[in-house]
Amino acid sequence: MARMGSHAVPRFYSSEPLFGGVAPEVMEASLLRLAAENERYLSELPGQAGCCKDCRTVEFIFLLAEKWHLDHSARYQAVELLERFMIKQVEQICKSPSENMEGTKGGSSRSSLKEQIYDTFVLRLVSCIQLASKLSLHYNIVNSNTALKFLQSLKYSYTKQELLESELAVLETLQFQINVSTPLAYIELLLEVLGHNGCLLPAKPLHQMCVQLLDFLYLEREAIYNTLLKTAIENSTPSELQVAKFLAVKEDFMLLAVGIISTSAFVLNPEHWKQVVEHLNCITGITSQSILEFSYAVLKHVLGSTTPKQQRRK
């Protein structure tokens, strides 16, 4: 799988991935790397995970990415960058009382940090989109002039220097670790493996459907995962402990990718759906039951239906 792109001749650029050109040993190494990255993140999962993936924030990022003609990988990257940056900011707030006891007013440092985060949120969001545009293999990099023009349209009076400092603040806060894998990277690699393993569904339409469903899931994240939780525990009123433990499920990119591919396969060709699920189970080790439950949760919100029908555990 590879992406085409030419900075010299943008009209030939395509953000569509090319499937079928990756050697098996490269696929295996890439899959192992992504699986290890996913497990490492889940093992160190902060309690604030998901704090900036609310519908309004995600929609804001998606609309800006569309306005600036960025590809889908950039929009997901921007969401994940903002999420990880904001988690670091929240952690800093939580630590501030014990590290700043010399202030004349208790909690003054914490209040100051909160105000700063609130006042600069849109600026940081734009900076994350700028950084994401530079990471993607897209010729439409969001430059300072474009970003400033947008911020000025919202009545912000930032300077180009402040915009550059904002980018640097995000980079330094994340210790320059910004090239994080997005769910789309997992999806595209799994589609490559599926094709290599003889999946009967063509990769291109499957990829297109996956992108549409991934967009939908990002926008309806809470509702879909709430349905998944209730389905998994077979109870409409989960306890606080169950909700807390479920955080790792919500942040599992491999499960997300598998679930989106399964749902896409069901929408495009129900006859081949079981075969796709079996392949995904063999590739990732995620149980067919878990894949089915994820597809059920997504489809329930996409179509308002309960297909594919749940198979209750025996």
Side-chain angles (χ1 to χ4, degrees), residues 26-248:
V26 175
M27 276 189 282
E28 182 179 4
S30 299
L31 189 60
L32 289 173
R33 181 186 62 79
L34 280 184
E37 181 181 319
N38 190 52
E39 289 299 322
R40 184 168 57 253
Y41 179 67
L42 293 176
S43 68
E44 303 168 351
L45 194 64
Q48 299 84 8
C51 66
C52 273
K53 291 182 181 177
D54 60 281
C55 177
R56 291 177 64 186
T57 301
V58 170
E59 186 176 19
F60 191 1
I61 291 173
F62 280 15
L63 288 172
L64 261 184
E66 185 176 349
K67 173 184 175 67
W68 289 333
H69 308 291
L70 301 181
D71 62 11
H72 283 82
S73 64
R75 66 167 67 179
Y76 303 133
Q77 191 93 50
V79 172
E80 299 305 326
L81 285 178
L82 181 64
E83 158 85 357
R84 298 188 185 213
F85 171 76
M86 292 305 299
I87 287 174
K88 294 290 186 183
Q89 294 287 283
V90 171
E91 289 174 348
Q92 188 177 352
I93 289 177
C94 293
K95 292 176 182 177
S96 62
S98 60
E99 295 177 1
N100 296 277
M101 295 302 290
E102 297 178 1
T104 56
K105 294 183 179 180
S108 60
S109 177
R110 172 181 285 203
S111 297
S112 176
L113 280 170
K114 283 183 177 179
E115 289 174 7
Q116 183 181 4
I117 291 172
Y118 179 82
D119 292 341
T120 60
F121 181 76
V122 174
L123 175 63
R124 299 294 189 249
L125 183 150
V126 169
S127 293
C128 288
I129 296 177
Q130 283 189 275
L131 289 169
S133 75
K134 295 171 183 177
L135 285 170
S136 70
L137 299 179
H138 202 288
Y139 63 89
N140 279 331
I141 291 175
V142 180
N143 61 36
S144 297
N145 291 331
T146 300
L148 276 178
K149 184 178 179 181
F150 169 73
L151 289 167
Q152 288 166 358
S153 73
L154 298 182
K155 308 304 180 185
Y156 290 105
S157 56
Y158 294 114
T159 64
K160 186 173 291 188
Q161 181 63 31
E162 287 173 319
L163 194 60
L164 293 172
E165 289 173 356
S166 178
E167 277 193 83
L168 184 59
V170 174
L171 287 168
E172 290 180 340
T173 299
L174 296 178
Q175 298 179 324
F176 292 85
Q177 302 297 314
I178 63 170
N179 195 17
V180 296
S181 300
T182 69
L184 184 60
Y186 288 73
I187 287 171
E188 291 179 346
L189 179 57
L190 288 171
L191 289 178
E192 185 73 52
V193 177
L194 281 173
H196 175 76
N197 289 356
C199 177
L200 297 176
L201 286 176
K204 186 174 181 180
L206 196 53
H207 178 268
Q208 292 171 341
M209 180 59 66
C210 283
V211 169
Q212 292 181 49
L213 288 177
L214 188 57
D215 275 0
F216 180 80
L217 185 139
Y218 263 88
L219 292 167
E220 297 291 334
R221 184 174 183 272
E222 283 304 310
I224 290 172
Y225 277 110
N226 282 340
T227 296
L228 180 58
L229 171 58
K230 293 172 183 178
T231 302
I233 66 174
E234 300 182 359
N235 192 323
S236 60
T237 54
S239 66
E240 289 185 12
L241 180 60
Q242 287 172 323
V243 171
K245 288 184 175 180
F246 194 69
L247 182 61

Side-chain angles (χ1 to χ4, degrees), residues 291-310:
I291 298 172
L292 183 146
E293 288 174 350
F294 200 107
S295 294
Y296 165 81
V298 175
L299 285 171
K300 183 175 182 180
H301 291 274
V302 171
L303 307 173
S305 74
T306 56
T307 51
K309 291 182 179 179
Q310 292 173 259

